[in-house]
Structures are given as structure tokens and as C-alpha cells.
Amino acid sequence: MTAGTVPGSPNEASKADLVHRQLKEEIELGELAPGTPLSELWLVERTGASRTPVREALRRLAAEGLVDLVPRQGARVSRVSLQSVRDLFDFRALLEPEAIRQATGAAAGDPAVRRSFTAMRTEFARIQRRAASPSRARDFYALADRFDWAVIGATRNEHLRRTIGELRPHTARLRNLSHVDPARVDVSLTEHLAICDALLRGDADTAAALTAGHLVDSVATIFRNLAATPAAGLDALT
């Protein structure tokens, strides 16, 4: 432990937050690949934090499903399997169509919410008109992330908001592990524009159906890309 710190003190807690945030981001981006060992000593040297906040950060990541705590082996970045991908998208398919239904109602009743979604619809259209490039893909996924968080924020149900939010890091990690597919960017742009249009005209049923279809297309692309470019730590996808 660093001199002058007390276990459970605000200083230790803030260090745990920093370590947690850093590792979570690196896992989401794929910089820490599935199966990567996360020894406490390595993390202490790498982050400059003591063992106590490192252990707390690992416990949080394990609770979020991003790290496995293996008895007598220590921590490692959680692996990705065919079943885990299916489970994630099956769960999202239960939640996100309902979230878009509620967001559609919120946009109809709240001018500020409607303006926010209208502005994002305009941005999606602007990105769609650009030529394919890595920067276009990055801008699209950043905007899609903002759109998803706006939908989450517009839902009425606190449990629905929290649960969908907790799934976001897993979705981001899969996208980054499977690499950006330029063809998928074009399709996903069209899908997001259609979802925005249905939401803005108050058609909750169509918005929900389009969201469900978007999830089906997304998981198919992830399976295809992961199978074509296997990375260390990925379990068999067949």
C-alpha cells in the first residue's frame, strides 16, 4: 500500500475509480484482448496504484462481466464465445425495442427530446453523404453511441435504463474486436435513419421492429467478422 493511504479511504476509492476506468476502456477498445492475464503486480506497476485499488477495480470489472477471476490463477480479461455473443444480443433484443418505444413516446411529448433526436437524424444524414473512410466510420459509431444513450435516457423505466447501460461496454468491445466493416457502416446508417424517422413521426411499432432488425443484422456481421479475423483469446465461433 502507498504510504499515507488507508484502506477504504477516499484516496484509495478514487484510485480504484481511475484504474477501473482505464482498464474498462482498454478492454472495450480491444487493447486488452480476451484472455489477457491481469496480474496484480503488473497492474500496480502499470497504473501506479497500490494493490487495494487494483483489487477493487478488478472486482468491479468481474461484476460487469469484463474480467474473469480464476481460482489459483488470478484475473484475466473475459473471453468471447459464440454463446456469449448470442446471449448478449438475445438479451438486447428483449430490451431495446421496448426502450425505443418509450423514447418515441418521450419525443412526442417533450419538445427538447424531439429536438435532440431531430439533430441526430440530421447528423446521420450528413455522415451518410460522406465518402467511406476510417474517420467516417469513427464519426458514425460515436454518433450511434450518442443516439443509443439518448434512447436510454428517454425511457421511463429506471431498471430498463440501467440494464441497457450495463450492456453497452460488451457491445462496444465486440464491435472493436471484430473490426469496422465499411459495408456494415453504410447499412447501419440506413437503419439508424429509418429508426429516427419512425421515432420522429411517432410510430413506436415500426421503430421497435426496425431496432430488432438492426440487432439481427449487427450480430450476423459480428459473427462473420470474428470468424474471418480470429484474435487471441477468442473461443471457437463454430
Side-chain angles (χ1 to χ4, degrees):
M1 182 183 305
T2 305
T5 61
V6 178
S9 69
N11 190 38
E12 287 286 314
S14 64
K15 287 182 179 178
D17 290 340
L18 290 172
V19 175
H20 172 265
R21 190 179 307 119
Q22 177 183 338
L23 293 178
K24 186 173 184 177
E25 180 178 344
E26 291 174 343
I27 292 170
E28 284 185 30
L29 293 174
E31 294 172 0
L32 289 174
T36 299
L38 299 171
S39 75
E40 288 184 9
L41 179 59
W42 180 68
L43 291 174
V44 165
E45 293 174 347
R46 191 166 179 266
T47 64
S50 66
R51 284 181 179 268
T52 299
V54 163
R55 287 171 182 163
E56 174 59 25
L58 290 173
R59 280 195 292 268
R60 292 188 206 173
L61 291 165
E64 294 166 349
L66 296 171
V67 163
D68 294 327
L69 300 178
V70 185
R72 295 184 296 279
Q73 295 183 38
R76 70 182 184 194
V77 178
S78 62
R79 299 175 69 86
V80 174
S81 67
L82 176 65
Q83 191 60 50
S84 68
V85 176
R86 279 181 175 157
D87 288 347
L88 172 63
F89 276 83
D90 284 350
F91 195 31
R92 289 182 65 191
L94 294 174
L95 302 174
E96 294 184 25
E98 176 57 26
I100 201 75
R101 285 179 184 277
Q102 294 189 17
T104 300
D110 187 332
V113 173
R114 183 176 183 81
R115 283 195 299 271
S116 175
F117 282 113
T118 299
M120 283 186 280
R121 200 271 180 214
T122 300
E123 289 186 62
F124 279 126
R126 186 178 298 119
I127 292 172
Q128 187 182 48
R129 291 192 294 270
R130 289 165 52 185
S133 69
S135 64
R136 177 180 183 254
R138 285 194 300 271
D139 290 346
F140 164 66
Y141 282 117
L143 178 57
D145 195 56
R146 280 174 47 206
F147 176 82
D148 289 346
W149 280 112
V151 170
I152 293 168
T155 60
R156 301 184 303 272
N157 189 301
E158 177 186 349
H159 297 290
L160 183 61
R161 286 197 304 270
R162 183 173 65 250
T163 303
I164 296 176
E166 289 170 352
L167 299 178
R168 299 297 301 161
H170 298 275
T171 302
R173 178 164 79 132
L174 286 173
R175 185 179 67 230
N176 288 316
L177 286 173
S178 66
H179 307 293
V180 173
D181 183 341
R184 177 58 193 161
V185 171
D186 288 333
V187 172
S188 195
L189 270 164
T190 300
E191 291 171 346
H192 277 79
L193 283 165
I195 293 169
C196 283
D197 288 341
L199 182 152
L200 290 170
R201 67 174 180 265
D203 188 348
D205 288 343
T206 297
L210 289 168
T211 298
H214 168 69
L215 292 172
V216 170
D217 290 345
S218 294
V219 73
T221 300
I222 286 171
F223 282 151
R224 183 170 61 252
N225 289 349
L226 287 176
T229 56
L234 290 174
D235 290 336
L237 290 170
T238 57

